[in-house]
Amino acid sequence: HCPTIEEARSLLHADESRVGMSWAGIEDRFAEGAELWAAMDKASPVAWLWIVRRTRLSNWYRPLCAEDKVIYSVVARPDQRGRGIVPRLTASVVQAEIAAVGDIYLDCVYWNTSARRAFEKAGFAEIGRSTLGKVKPLPGLDTISETS
């Protein structure tokens, strides 16, 4: 468990390309009140995820109780994928957090089948899907066109 941005930088070796998001994005997650959890192999992180309490989220896809938490932005290093690390990390975080919270939900894009399988192995089941609302064009653009 990594409670501060300084510990995250140290843990993740300050290499944005390996982290999967910019340091500004990581700082935003901490500012939201999210907690970073990591799976380690010796002194090197091999997978990590964020978990945040509902009261710190401005909006989510379904109504949540104040005590509920949401797991999101789960990343495994490419050389570590397919080894069962994400399901074990996710299950470990749930086990550590469940006594202190209401329910725990997980946010995953539906087309990411490998992630969905990993989360099913950790005990999660799909309870619904959200679709994006209407796309609003940028000012001055009335149509969207494709180029080939």
Side-chain angles (χ1 to χ4, degrees), residues 117-135:
R117 279 194 304 270
F119 301 138
E120 287 168 359
K121 290 176 186 175
F124 282 88
E126 182 178 316
I127 58 172
R129 291 185 184 179
S130 176
T131 57
L132 296 175
K134 285 187 173 182
V135 176

Side-chain angles (χ1 to χ4, degrees), residues 10-138:
S10 173
L11 173 74
L12 301 174
H13 308 294
D15 183 355
E16 290 181 6
S17 65
R18 291 181 57 197
V19 176
M21 72 173 57
S22 69
W23 283 113
I26 291 172
E27 289 170 354
D28 289 346
R29 298 293 183 272
F30 278 110
E32 292 170 351
E35 300 170 16
L36 177 65
W37 288 76
M40 305 295 290
D41 181 16
K42 298 180 179 72
S44 180
V46 293
W48 43 90
L49 62 76
W50 294 92
I51 186 166
V52 66
R53 185 175 296 279
R54 183 325 183 198
T55 54
R56 301 298 298 228
L57 292 173
S58 59
N59 196 7
W60 206 57
Y61 309 108
R62 60 177 286 129
L64 300 175
C65 297
E67 304 83 29
D68 294 344
K69 285 194 171 186
V70 176
I71 293 173
Y72 65 103
S73 294
V74 181
V75 177
R77 281 191 357 218
D79 63 321
Q80 298 296 318
R81 293 179 184 152
R83 298 182 56 205
I85 296 167
V86 167
R88 290 193 312 266
L89 171 62
T90 305
S92 296
V93 170
V94 168
Q95 185 176 18
E97 293 280 345
I98 197 69
V101 301
D103 293 324
I104 297 178
Y105 296 88
L106 194 136
D107 193 346
C108 178
V109 292
Y110 74 93
W111 49 261
N112 191 338
T113 55
S114 61
R116 288 182 24 223
R117 279 194 304 270
F119 301 138
E120 287 168 359
K121 290 176 186 175
F124 282 88
E126 182 178 316
I127 58 172
R129 291 185 184 179
S130 176
T131 57
L132 296 175
K134 285 187 173 182
V135 176
K136 296 181 182 178
L138 293 171

